[in-house]
Amino acid sequence: GYDKQTNLILDKVNGRPVGDMKELLAAFAAPQGPYHVIELQDHAWFGSKIVIDAAKAPQATAQIMADFKIPADRSRDLK
């Protein structure tokens, strides 16, 4: 269900404010228990949090990258 969402503003990931891509990667490296919790600026239609199973995220990422022929999960400067 989140595939139709556009123009959302990210506030925090796993309780950490995110100001740039390096901070985003660091936040995803520290899940809240078994989940990644993505907090958005308030969105009246579906709420302001997206919760992702942290254990399943790497496999899902690999599958999405394979399906859409994405060569890397981040740019060279973020590796």
Side-chain angles (χ1 to χ4, degrees), residues 37-73:
V37 179
I38 301 165
E39 297 179 54
L40 307 168
Q41 283 190 1
D42 190 43
H43 192 283
W45 186 58
F46 70 90
S48 60
K49 288 186 182 180
I50 298 171
V51 180
I52 298 172
D53 185 317
K56 293 180 181 178
Q59 182 180 1
T61 299
Q63 185 64 53
I64 291 166
M65 290 175 63
D67 289 351
F68 293 97
K69 298 177 178 43
I70 300 169
D73 70 341

Side-chain angles (χ1 to χ4, degrees), residues 7-8 10 15 18 20 23 25 30-31 36 40 43 47 56-58 61 64 68 74 79:
N7 300 316
L8 302 174
L10 179 68
V18 175
D20 60 32
E23 290 176 352
L25 291 170
H36 290 298
L40 307 168
H43 192 283
K56 293 180 181 178
T61 299
I64 291 166
F68 293 97
R74 65 195 75 190
K79 290 186 179 195

Side-chain angles (χ1 to χ4, degrees), residues 10-18 23-24 27-28 30 32 36-39:
L10 179 68
D11 274 338
K12 298 178 184 176
V13 172
N14 296 325
R16 298 171 70 167
V18 175
E23 290 176 352
L24 179 66
F28 272 116
Q32 293 183 324
H36 290 298
V37 179
I38 301 165
E39 297 179 54

